């Protein structure tokens, strides 16, 4: 049974890997590059098909497709095309590797990936990280982070969230009370209680806890986190809460703020558009339209330019006016 997907990119049919490889070679051969052909092919094939194209490209021409793309393209457009070529299974591991590599850690990437992925996805990321980079992801992350932010990341890395099942209303009430006492009712904050409850309870249980918390305290849990914590921990706890409520809404907001205001956070824009294109980008578009009074398509159109814009709009797949 095929998994139903809410992505904008699906398997292209009729698909001919060799014909695509030949068209890409022609687009990059000789003087000048035919960017249009490249972006049209790569945005309309799914990731598994792109891997077949890369394999056909090597078979036919003895050349590496990704190396050729890197030498022929530049800037954000190059980054986007190369990201599309990255095999799905290593995409997250690669992003995390680069978030903790070199000087300074990119906490935003750690937060986005570990807050939004399912326990099964996190287990897979750890395994792939070990295979690809011969290193333990948890060790790498603990080496680069500290304090309660580090503790929460480690809890999420265990990927031991309770499975979905019947929600125990007694435990819901208890968790809501514990959070209330750990935050609003306490001088100072007992961060550990927030970490344990938000990091280990099931999604359906936590949704009930958030409702109960509102009843008991008169606050949304996000307001309390905002008041009681700060810095990277606050951002991580808020991301976890948002993903518990709705992963597509979390990504809609992430995309919105990557483009809002002066300058664009292209790394985030590319990472989210590519990583969600086969999963839930249609749902993200819906949430975007609902929450920001404009469509994702309109915002990309306004905020980007050139071949980069063309390719992003094709990934976006339509305008929800």
């Amino acid at each position: 049974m095929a998994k139903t997907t809410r992505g904008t990119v699906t398997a292209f049919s009729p698909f001919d890997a060799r014909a695509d490889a030949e068209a890409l070679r022609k687009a990059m051969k000789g003087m000048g590059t035919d960017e249009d052909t490249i972006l049209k092919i790569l945005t309309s094939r799914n990731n598994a098909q792109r891997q077949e194209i890369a394999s056909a490209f090597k078979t036919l021409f003895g050349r590496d497709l990704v190396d050729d793309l890197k030498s022929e393209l530049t800037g954000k457009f190059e980054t986007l095309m190369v990201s599309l070529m990255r095999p799905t299974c290593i995409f997250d591991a690669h992003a995390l590797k680069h978030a903790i590599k070199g000087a300074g850690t990119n906490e935003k990437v750690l937060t986005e990936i570990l807050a939004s992925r399912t326990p099964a996805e996190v287990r897979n990321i750890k395994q792939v990280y070990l295979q690809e980079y011969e290193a333990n992801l948890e060790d790498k992350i603990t080496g680069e982070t500290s304090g309660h932010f580090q503790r929460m990341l480690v809890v999420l890395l265990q990927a031991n969230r309770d499975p979905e099942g019947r929600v125990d209303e007694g435990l819901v009430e208890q968790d809501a009370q514990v959070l209330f006492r750990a935050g609003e009712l306490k001088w100072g904050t007992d961060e550990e209680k927030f970490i344990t409850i938000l990091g280990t309870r099931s999604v359906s249980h936590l949704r009930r806890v958030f409702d109960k918390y509102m009843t008991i305290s008169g606050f949304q849990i996000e307001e309390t986190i905002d008041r009681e914590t700060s810095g990277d921990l606050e951002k991580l706890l808020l991301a976890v809460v948002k993903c518990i409520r709705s992963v597509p809404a979390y990504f809609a907001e992430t995309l919105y703020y990557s483009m809002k205001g002066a300058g664009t956070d292209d790394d985030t824009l590319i990472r989210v558009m590519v990583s969600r294109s086969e999963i839930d980008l249609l749902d993200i578009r819906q949430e975007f339209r609902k929450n920001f009074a404009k469509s994702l398509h309109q915002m990309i159109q306004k905020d980007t330019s050139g071949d980069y814009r063309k390719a992003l709009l094709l990934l976006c797949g339509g305008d929800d006016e």
Side-chain angles (χ1 to χ4, degrees):
M1 174 75 192
K3 204 170 69 165
T4 55
T5 166
R6 297 280 299 148
T8 53
V9 175
T10 51
F12 183 82
S13 177
F15 173 61
D16 181 342
R18 287 193 158 217
D20 285 348
E22 281 165 357
L24 287 169
R25 176 70 183 126
K26 190 173 163 212
M28 294 187 276
K29 200 174 171 178
M31 289 293 289
T33 306
D34 173 4
E35 286 88 359
D36 223 45
T37 295
I38 296 170
L39 69 87
K40 281 187 175 137
I41 291 175
L42 297 187
T43 58
S44 61
R45 311 300 188 260
N46 69 12
N47 194 279
Q49 291 175 326
R50 291 181 210 123
Q51 305 316 317
E52 285 186 54
I53 295 169
S55 164
F57 197 86
K58 194 162 271 183
T59 298
L60 293 172
F61 312 115
R63 304 174 69 91
D64 186 286
L65 176 55
V66 173
D67 289 348
D68 278 11
L69 289 168
K70 285 178 177 170
S71 73
E72 293 292 327
L73 310 175
T74 56
K76 296 174 284 205
F77 179 56
E78 176 197 335
T79 307
L80 176 56
M81 293 299 108
V82 170
S83 296
L84 285 171
M85 289 307 303
R86 192 162 294 122
T88 305
C89 63
I90 70 164
F91 193 90
D92 287 342
H94 179 273
L96 289 169
K97 163 97 170 144
H98 285 267
I100 44 188
K101 185 177 144 189
T105 305
N106 188 337
E107 291 83 5
K108 185 189 268 183
V109 175
L110 300 184
T111 294
E112 179 196 299
I113 292 176
L114 293 175
S116 65
R117 302 314 192 245
T118 64
E121 287 169 335
V122 172
R123 283 193 287 273
N124 182 55
I125 290 167
K126 290 196 293 189
Q127 203 182 334
V128 169
Y129 199 94
L130 192 58
Q131 283 161 359
E132 289 290 315
Y133 307 118
E134 295 177 350
N136 178 301
L137 177 58
E138 189 183 314
D139 292 348
K140 288 288 177 196
I141 286 178
T142 49
E144 295 293 334
T145 56
S146 61
H148 289 106
F149 175 61
Q150 179 199 75
R151 304 264 176 271
M152 183 64 181
L153 289 172
V154 170
V155 167
L156 294 171
L157 278 165
Q158 302 319 297
N160 280 332
R161 193 176 285 291
D162 297 337
E164 290 304 310
R166 202 179 59 78
V167 174
D168 177 341
E169 289 300 326
L171 187 58
V172 166
E173 171 84 37
Q174 189 187 319
D175 278 351
Q177 292 286 358
V178 166
L179 290 172
F180 188 41
R181 288 197 295 273
E184 298 290 348
L185 289 186
K186 191 178 163 64
W187 191 80
T189 309
D190 184 351
E191 290 92 351
E192 204 160 87
K193 296 279 193 294
F194 281 84
I195 288 170
T196 301
I197 291 172
L198 293 177
T200 62
R201 305 290 195 261
S202 76
V203 170
S204 44
H205 173 87
L206 282 171
R207 285 177 183 160
R208 294 285 304 116
V209 170
F210 299 162
D211 292 344
K212 180 63 76 176
Y213 185 86
M214 181 75 191
T215 311
I216 294 170
S217 68
F219 298 117
Q220 292 284 17
I221 187 81
E222 289 92 333
E223 298 175 77
T224 295
I225 291 170
D226 192 35
R227 265 198 301 276
E228 299 289 331
T229 61
S230 61
D232 293 326
L233 175 68
E234 177 191 342
K235 291 185 188 122
L236 179 56
L237 292 176
L238 285 174
V240 169
V241 167
K242 284 168 185 170
C243 289
I244 294 293
R245 291 196 191 272
S246 162
V247 169
Y250 168 72
F251 280 117
E253 186 182 320
T254 303
L255 285 169
Y256 178 75
Y257 286 107
S258 75
M259 293 181 277
K260 186 183 184 298
T264 305
D265 176 356
D266 293 292
D267 286 342
T268 297
L269 180 54
I270 291 169
R271 189 174 56 252
V272 175
M273 291 296 288
V274 172
S275 65
R276 307 315 288 186
S277 61
E278 291 182 44
I279 301 175
D280 55 2
L281 195 50
L282 288 170
D283 297 324
I284 293 168
R285 268 170 42 186
Q286 232 171 343
E287 290 292 336
F288 198 101
R289 185 74 194 80
K290 190 172 86 189
N291 298 333
F292 302 111
K294 63 177 79 161
S295 69
L296 176 59
H297 195 281
Q298 287 160 346
M299 199 149 179
I300 291 170
Q301 179 83 45
K302 193 174 122 296
D303 214 72
T304 59
S305 62
D307 294 318
Y308 176 54
R309 169 166 66 191
K310 256 189 234 175
L312 284 172
L313 290 175
L314 285 171
L315 282 179
C316 178
D319 192 355
D320 314 281
E321 297 224 37

